[in-house]
Amino acid sequence: DTEVTQTPKHLVMGMTNKKSLKCEQHMGHRAMYWYKQKAKKPPELMFVYSYEKLSINESVPSRFSPECPNSSLLNLHLHALQPEDSALYLCASSQAPGAIEPQHFGDGTRLSIL
Amino acid sequence: QQPVQSPQAVILREGEDAVINCSSSKALYSVHWYRQKHGEAPVFLMILLKGGEQKGHEKISASFNEKKQQSSLYLTASQLSYSGTYFCGTPAATSGTYKYIFGTGTRLKVLA
């Protein structure tokens, strides 16, 4: 069992749908991350929240919209996605963003766009 | 710039040893190693810090050569549970912006 919980585990949606991915951690971490991972590739950083503030947006398309309601929760709102957005979306957390802090990952949401 | 890992893939028999390398074209200040099993989350293995010592636990250890901008992961007497994809990861700052970059990955399979 991981200490970072993501829901749902699987999601299939059409290109016109709106859905949200959720992530929760109760380790008191103050940094949370969204990654996108395609098959047989490393995770790619999408967003970083540090102390509930968005500190980086890796030029991600606006059809992905992150939200951090509080220090334990992280959402990723999805709208008008494209087939190439099908991937595993991973949430992670760490004590703070920095050189020495390892990240703890959730099991991910496997997203398929029809 | 994404760190390059070698080899890309390796197959071992139980009990054999393996070395996975992670090389960067930019200066490394710290390196994290993760293992990801199929369909699961990446799991943190260890961290190597600039100027720090070689780390290890059980039969998995790692080294960090700052001069060569390279880290290596050593798996000794491999077990079936070692199978998975290994990633190195490193924080990087570009123009004051925090980034985290994973290496290209090494797929390791241990056979009985």
Side-chain angles (χ1 to χ4, degrees), chain A residues 13 27 32-33 49 64 85 90 101 110-111 113:
Chain A
M13 56 187 287
M27 295 179 282
M32 296 186 76
Y33 312 79
Y49 272 87
F64 295 92
D85 296 323
L90 292 163
E101 298 296 338
R110 193 160 298 281
L111 177 65
I113 307 300

Side-chain angles (χ1 to χ4, degrees), chain B residues 70-85:
Chain B
Q70 180 178 3
S71 178
S72 297
L73 186 71
Y74 306 95
L75 307 170
T76 57
S78 58
Q79 305 168 14
L80 294 176
S81 61
Y82 288 4
S83 293
T85 301

